[in-house]
Amino acid sequence: MPRYALIAEPDRHRAAALLALAQQEGLEGTIARDGAEAQELVRLRGAPTLLVMDLVLPRVDGFALLAWLRGRPDASGTAVVVVTAFDELRVRAWQLKDALGIHALLSRRAGPEAMREGVRRALAGQLAGSMLMESNGDEEKRRLQRIEELALVDAGPPDTELQELVSEVAQAFGVPVALLTLVLGDRQWFKAHVGLPAALARDRGTPRDWAFCHHVVQGREAMVVPDATRHPVFRDNPLVRDGIVGSYAGAPLVTSTGDVLGSLCVIDTRPLMLGPEDLAALRELANRVAENLEHTTAHGRPRPVAPRLQGAPPKPVLSEAAALALVREAMSALDVPVLVVAPGRKPFAANPALAELLGLPEDRLSGMSFDSLCQHVANLTADPGGTLRQLDLAAEGSRGLHLTLSLERPRPRVVRWVARPFLVPGGVAQLLSLMDLGIGSDLMGSRERLLRQDALTGLDTRRVGEERLAKEIGRCRREGLPISLVLVDLVELGTLNRTRGFDAGDGALRELARRTEALCPPPGFAVRWTGDTFLLALPGADAVVAEAVRQQLHEGPGPLGCVSIAVTVQGEEDPHGTLVRAQAALARAKPERKTAPPLE
């Protein structure tokens, strides 16, 4: 097993501190800022010696990451330290510690020495203590008193400006529901909301036990639940069972006195693929909203930030246009191509760097509608229609706010499209940036290639394979064609590495990659699925053809010590369901290697 530590933590500063702890124990370390990135690093490098992680991770949550890791044959010796701010998630993890292989459960509030001791005990294979349920009664009283002092709870309809604000937030993050909630003693109360079912909108709240925002208030941190329907803490929540909440991201409303009033949150019925940057943007929006709430009375009159001296001129309040004008002036000096999109998806200003990248005069760019801009960008690619659909999803769907685009004009280049929301007096604006991945960033380009192509075998990585598989399954369904998969596991890899060295093991992997690639000509393809497992996708192949391909794999020259399984996609089964079925069949086949496993 490679001797390295993997730190799965969205916050850069905390990740750096945890990495330093691992390095003090003599381990090389690497950081993943979300669960999907952590999975990709493990696929590339193998299971780590030490995993230090939060349970709240974007894209793939901590529970799902641990369950996936423990399903790998090379992860049995991985020591796991969980550090999180959320009491109830930590309690559930403690209940599942044996199944998930957790060695230490620590509160975010634990000091450096407790963290260090937890890491050392985990590396020694010992179970470290769990710091559970740390909620402070006095802190809760002060929090509720602060809500009462600010007179934030009222009996009238939601404030119009706040309603417009949450609508802008929902639009900026591409979700149907956004809420501004206050967490009271026994319930959460919606100060502003958009997209709720009629009954919840009428009641303007739920019991506190149902509230995801309750966890945000207790933990005093942003929380993301990418898929609530599979989460061991939230899947039985009434809001999840009723199909109202399928995924959640929320950030605390923290006042200048340090009290947490509630949260600003976004909700979707589908899995939420927001990344760590999106979570940071939501946190920044929540900070601004809390500041505005704190400086406003229940009657909507501004509350002065500090006493004004008699005779001193009043402090000017910026209008929406003035605020955006300041942003325009600041961004014009940036070398990074950027565009400010005002509330309501209205382009406001672009800088010269963006005009140069897109091959447009600056005055024409600033006068374009947002839809025209997206169409122009799409026209610079080899697939304008497909790219335009991607840009629409990035702007309005819950698939995330980040895209990688391949432009062919004015010259070939790969750019990263990133949209970040921010508050202005008129609502939520967005800062759109396009980063050229080929300029001054060879490391970034190399990392992108590593994530898409396996360096040892030259095959696609699992990340690319999942994308291609979803497309091929969709195409075969539209054309009425079958599609089959073959999973093959090089079960002798560990023995080969131990007895003959890693060079022999690498050679066997390359040979297996050559065989798999030869058996699935286009539109078929082969993928290095995990460290010792390969996937063959066979569009147009039924069960009989797939079984013949599987047998050909074992008839190649020289013994490779493989076990394989073939499956055919059934009806409307999704790719995940097919893969789970195939992997389960492969696992069953491994102990019975004297006979060929049956076709499923």
Coordinates of all heavy atoms in Angstrom, one line a residue, residues 533-574:
T533 N -9.0 -3.5 -11.5 CA -10.3 -3.8 -12.2 C -10.4 -3.0 -13.5 O -10.2 -1.8 -13.4 CB -11.5 -3.7 -11.3 OG1 -11.3 -4.4 -10.1 CG2 -12.8 -4.1 -12.0
F534 N -10.8 -3.6 -14.6 CA -11.0 -3.0 -15.8 C -12.5 -3.2 -16.3 O -13.1 -4.2 -16.0 CB -10.1 -3.5 -16.9 CG -8.7 -3.2 -16.7 CD1 -7.9 -3.9 -15.8 CD2 -8.0 -2.2 -17.4 CE1 -6.6 -3.6 -15.5 CE2 -6.7 -2.0 -17.2 CZ -6.0 -2.7 -16.3
L535 N -13.0 -2.2 -17.0 CA -14.4 -2.3 -17.5 C -14.3 -2.2 -19.0 O -13.7 -1.4 -19.6 CB -15.3 -1.2 -16.9 CG -16.7 -1.1 -17.4 CD1 -17.6 -0.7 -16.3 CD2 -16.9 0.0 -18.6
L536 N -15.1 -3.1 -19.6 CA -15.3 -3.1 -21.1 C -16.7 -2.7 -21.4 O -17.6 -3.4 -20.9 CB -15.0 -4.4 -21.7 CG -13.5 -4.9 -21.8 CD1 -13.1 -5.4 -20.4 CD2 -13.4 -6.1 -22.8
A537 N -17.0 -1.6 -22.1 CA -18.3 -1.2 -22.5 C -18.5 -1.6 -23.9 O -17.7 -1.4 -24.8 CB -18.5 0.3 -22.3
L538 N -19.7 -2.4 -24.2 CA -19.9 -3.0 -25.5 C -21.3 -2.5 -26.0 O -22.3 -3.2 -25.9 CB -19.9 -4.5 -25.4 CG -18.6 -5.1 -24.8 CD1 -18.8 -6.6 -24.5 CD2 -17.4 -4.8 -25.7
P539 N -21.4 -1.3 -26.5 CA -22.7 -0.8 -27.1 C -23.1 -1.7 -28.3 O -22.2 -2.1 -29.1 CB -22.3 0.6 -27.6 CG -21.1 1.0 -26.8 CD -20.4 -0.2 -26.6
G540 N -24.3 -2.1 -28.3 CA -24.8 -2.9 -29.4 C -24.7 -4.4 -29.1 O -25.2 -5.2 -29.9
A541 N -24.0 -4.8 -28.0 CA -23.8 -6.2 -27.7 C -24.9 -6.7 -26.8 O -25.1 -6.1 -25.7 CB -22.4 -6.4 -27.2
D542 N -25.5 -7.9 -27.1 CA -26.4 -8.5 -26.2 C -25.7 -9.4 -25.3 O -24.4 -9.5 -25.3 CB -27.5 -9.2 -26.9 CG -27.0 -10.3 -27.9 OD1 -25.8 -10.7 -27.7 OD2 -27.8 -10.7 -28.8
A543 N -26.4 -10.2 -24.5 CA -25.8 -11.1 -23.5 C -24.9 -12.1 -24.1 O -23.8 -12.5 -23.6 CB -26.9 -11.7 -22.6
V544 N -25.3 -12.7 -25.2 CA -24.6 -13.7 -25.9 C -23.2 -13.2 -26.4 O -22.2 -13.8 -26.2 CB -25.4 -14.3 -27.1 CG1 -24.5 -15.3 -27.8 CG2 -26.7 -15.0 -26.6
V545 N -23.2 -12.0 -27.0 CA -22.0 -11.4 -27.5 C -21.1 -11.1 -26.3 O -19.9 -11.3 -26.4 CB -22.3 -10.2 -28.4 CG1 -21.0 -9.5 -28.8 CG2 -23.1 -10.6 -29.6
A546 N -21.7 -10.5 -25.3 CA -20.9 -10.1 -24.1 C -20.2 -11.3 -23.5 O -19.0 -11.3 -23.1 CB -21.7 -9.4 -23.1
E547 N -20.9 -12.5 -23.4 CA -20.3 -13.7 -22.9 C -19.1 -14.2 -23.8 O -18.1 -14.6 -23.3 CB -21.3 -14.7 -22.7 CG -20.8 -16.1 -22.2 CD -20.1 -16.0 -20.8 OE1 -20.2 -15.0 -20.1 OE2 -19.5 -17.1 -20.5
A548 N -19.3 -14.1 -25.1 CA -18.3 -14.5 -26.0 C -17.0 -13.6 -25.8 O -15.9 -14.1 -25.8 CB -18.8 -14.4 -27.5
V549 N -17.2 -12.3 -25.7 CA -16.1 -11.4 -25.4 C -15.4 -11.7 -24.1 O -14.1 -11.8 -24.0 CB -16.6 -9.9 -25.4 CG1 -15.5 -9.0 -24.9 CG2 -17.0 -9.5 -26.8
R550 N -16.2 -12.0 -23.1 CA -15.6 -12.4 -21.8 C -14.7 -13.6 -21.9 O -13.6 -13.7 -21.4 CB -16.7 -12.6 -20.8 CG -16.2 -12.7 -19.3 CD -17.3 -13.2 -18.4 NE -17.6 -14.6 -18.7 CZ -16.9 -15.6 -18.3 NH1 -15.8 -15.4 -17.6 NH2 -17.3 -16.9 -18.5
Q551 N -15.2 -14.6 -22.7 CA -14.4 -15.9 -22.8 C -13.1 -15.6 -23.6 O -12.1 -16.2 -23.3 CB -15.3 -16.9 -23.5 CG -16.4 -17.4 -22.6 CD -17.3 -18.5 -23.2 OE1 -17.0 -18.9 -24.4 NE2 -18.2 -19.0 -22.5
Q552 N -13.2 -14.8 -24.7 CA -12.0 -14.4 -25.4 C -11.0 -13.8 -24.6 O -9.8 -14.0 -24.8 CB -12.4 -13.4 -26.6 CG -13.1 -14.1 -27.8 CD -13.4 -13.0 -28.8 OE1 -14.4 -12.3 -28.8 NE2 -12.5 -12.9 -29.8
L553 N -11.4 -13.0 -23.6 CA -10.5 -12.4 -22.7 C -9.6 -13.4 -22.0 O -8.4 -13.2 -21.8 CB -11.2 -11.5 -21.7 CG -10.5 -10.7 -20.7 CD1 -9.8 -9.6 -21.5 CD2 -11.4 -10.0 -19.7
H554 N -10.2 -14.6 -21.6 CA -9.5 -15.6 -20.8 C -8.7 -16.5 -21.8 O -7.9 -17.3 -21.3 CB -10.5 -16.4 -20.0 CG -11.1 -15.6 -18.9 ND1 -10.5 -15.6 -17.6 CD2 -12.2 -14.8 -18.8 CE1 -11.2 -14.8 -16.8 NE2 -12.2 -14.3 -17.5
E555 N -9.0 -16.4 -23.1 CA -8.3 -17.3 -24.0 C -7.0 -16.7 -24.6 O -6.3 -17.3 -25.4 CB -9.2 -17.6 -25.2 CG -10.4 -18.5 -24.8 CD -11.5 -18.6 -25.8 OE1 -11.3 -17.9 -26.9 OE2 -12.5 -19.2 -25.6
G556 N -6.7 -15.5 -24.1 CA -5.5 -14.8 -24.6 C -4.2 -15.5 -24.1 O -4.2 -16.4 -23.3
P557 N -3.1 -15.2 -24.7 CA -1.8 -15.9 -24.4 C -1.3 -15.6 -23.0 O -1.4 -14.4 -22.5 CB -0.8 -15.4 -25.4 CG -1.4 -14.0 -25.8 CD -2.9 -14.2 -25.8
G558 N -0.8 -16.6 -22.3 CA -0.3 -16.4 -21.0 C -1.3 -16.2 -19.9 O -2.3 -15.5 -20.1
P559 N -1.1 -16.9 -18.7 CA -2.1 -16.7 -17.6 C -1.9 -15.3 -16.9 O -0.8 -14.9 -16.6 CB -1.7 -17.8 -16.7 CG -0.2 -18.1 -16.9 CD 0.0 -17.8 -18.4
L560 N -3.0 -14.7 -16.7 CA -3.0 -13.4 -16.0 C -3.7 -13.5 -14.7 O -3.7 -12.5 -13.9 CB -3.7 -12.3 -16.9 CG -2.9 -11.7 -18.1 CD1 -3.7 -10.7 -18.8 CD2 -1.6 -11.1 -17.5
G561 N -4.3 -14.6 -14.4 CA -5.0 -14.7 -13.1 C -6.2 -13.8 -12.9 O -6.3 -13.0 -12.0
C562 N -7.1 -13.8 -13.9 CA -8.2 -12.9 -14.0 C -9.5 -13.6 -13.6 O -9.7 -14.8 -13.8 CB -8.4 -12.3 -15.4 SG -7.0 -11.3 -15.9
V563 N -10.4 -12.8 -13.1 CA -11.8 -13.2 -12.9 C -12.7 -12.1 -13.6 O -12.4 -10.9 -13.5 CB -12.2 -13.3 -11.4 CG1 -13.7 -13.4 -11.2 CG2 -11.5 -14.5 -10.7
S564 N -13.7 -12.5 -14.3 CA -14.5 -11.6 -15.1 C -16.0 -11.9 -14.9 O -16.3 -13.0 -14.6 CB -14.1 -11.5 -16.5 OG -14.3 -12.8 -17.1
I565 N -16.8 -10.9 -15.3 CA -18.2 -11.1 -15.2 C -18.8 -10.2 -16.3 O -18.3 -9.1 -16.6 CB -18.8 -10.7 -13.8 CG1 -20.3 -11.1 -13.8 CG2 -18.7 -9.2 -13.6 CD1 -20.5 -12.6 -13.6
A566 N -19.9 -10.7 -17.0 CA -20.6 -9.9 -18.0 C -22.0 -9.7 -17.6 O -22.7 -10.6 -17.1 CB -20.5 -10.7 -19.4
V567 N -22.5 -8.5 -17.9 CA -23.9 -8.1 -17.6 C -24.4 -7.3 -18.7 O -23.7 -6.7 -19.5 CB -24.0 -7.3 -16.3 CG1 -23.5 -8.1 -15.1 CG2 -23.3 -6.0 -16.3
T568 N -25.7 -7.4 -18.9 CA -26.4 -6.6 -19.9 C -27.3 -5.6 -19.2 O -28.0 -6.0 -18.3 CB -27.2 -7.5 -20.9 OG1 -26.3 -8.4 -21.5 CG2 -27.9 -6.7 -21.9
V569 N -27.3 -4.3 -19.7 CA -28.2 -3.3 -19.1 C -29.7 -3.8 -19.3 O -30.1 -4.1 -20.4 CB -28.0 -1.9 -19.7 CG1 -28.9 -0.9 -19.1 CG2 -26.5 -1.5 -19.5
Q570 N -30.4 -3.7 -18.2 CA -31.8 -4.2 -18.2 C -32.8 -3.1 -18.3 O -32.8 -2.2 -17.3 CB -32.1 -5.1 -17.0 CG -31.2 -6.3 -16.9 CD -31.4 -7.1 -15.6 OE1 -32.1 -6.7 -14.7 NE2 -30.8 -8.3 -15.5
G571 N -33.6 -3.0 -19.3 CA -34.7 -2.1 -19.4 C -34.2 -0.6 -19.2 O -33.3 -0.2 -19.8
E572 N -34.9 0.1 -18.3 CA -34.5 1.5 -18.0 C -33.6 1.6 -16.8 O -33.5 2.6 -16.2 CB -35.8 2.2 -17.6 CG -36.8 2.4 -18.8 CD -36.1 3.2 -20.0 OE1 -35.5 4.2 -19.7 OE2 -36.2 2.7 -21.1
E573 N -32.9 0.5 -16.5 CA -31.9 0.5 -15.4 C -30.9 1.6 -15.6 O -30.4 1.8 -16.7 CB -31.2 -0.9 -15.3 CG -30.3 -1.0 -14.2 CD -29.7 -2.4 -14.1 OE1 -29.2 -2.9 -15.2 OE2 -29.6 -3.1 -13.1
D574 N -30.6 2.4 -14.5 CA -29.6 3.4 -14.7 C -28.2 2.8 -14.6 O -28.0 1.7 -14.2 CB -29.8 4.5 -13.6 CG -29.6 4.0 -12.2 OD1 -28.8 3.1 -12.0 OD2 -30.3 4.6 -11.3

